Amino acid sequence: MTVHIGELSRRTGVNTHQLRYYESQGLLEPDRGPNGYREYGDAAVLTVTQIRKLLAAGLSTREIGYVLPCASGARPELEPCPELVNGLRERLTRLDESIDALVGTRQVLHDYLDLTERRALTTPGSATG
């Protein structure tokens, strides 16, 4: 059974423009009917579900392009193919680096705030707030 993009959007809760974007990124591959309309097979709902969950895990569509062939099921379960493991490891490293940078930035802001509040307490006529 095939469905058009509007029906796939209704079944998955994903806007049609996002589905077209997934197609442009090579993540979703519809057939074209005689009228030129996109026609999606039964597996498209599962594929869109996998894409959404992988996006929620912080993967880019480019990364998902590498991961998707290793995915099965709605969760999705990921087969341990070498490209997948390396890609996920690289993504996790970048995420850890971003977290470390944010923690450092947060500490600097805390330090500025602490210094400013202490100075406000010792400066006559200043207000905190």
Side-chain angles (χ1 to χ4, degrees), residues 52-93:
R52 300 300 292 173
K53 290 191 177 179
L54 293 168
L55 286 168
L59 274 66
S60 68
T61 54
R62 182 174 164 266
E63 292 165 327
I64 292 171
Y66 292 108
V67 171
L68 208 52
C70 303
S72 63
R75 191 170 183 204
E77 299 284 330
L78 302 175
E79 296 298 320
C81 46
E83 302 83 17
L84 170 70
V85 173
N86 292 337
L88 292 177
R89 189 169 284 122
E90 288 173 14
R91 179 65 176 127
L92 188 57
T93 297

Side-chain angles (χ1 to χ4, degrees), residues 43-58:
V45 171
L46 176 61
T47 300
V48 172
T49 300
Q50 291 170 337
I51 292 167
R52 300 300 292 173
K53 290 191 177 179
L54 293 168
L55 286 168

Side-chain angles (χ1 to χ4, degrees), residues 99-119:
I99 290 169
D100 291 345
L102 286 171
V103 167
T105 300
R106 183 175 183 258
Q107 185 58 54
V108 170
L109 286 172
H110 271 295
D111 292 347
Y112 276 121
L113 182 60
D114 290 344
L115 289 170
T116 304
E117 287 175 336
R118 277 186 285 192
R119 187 169 182 199

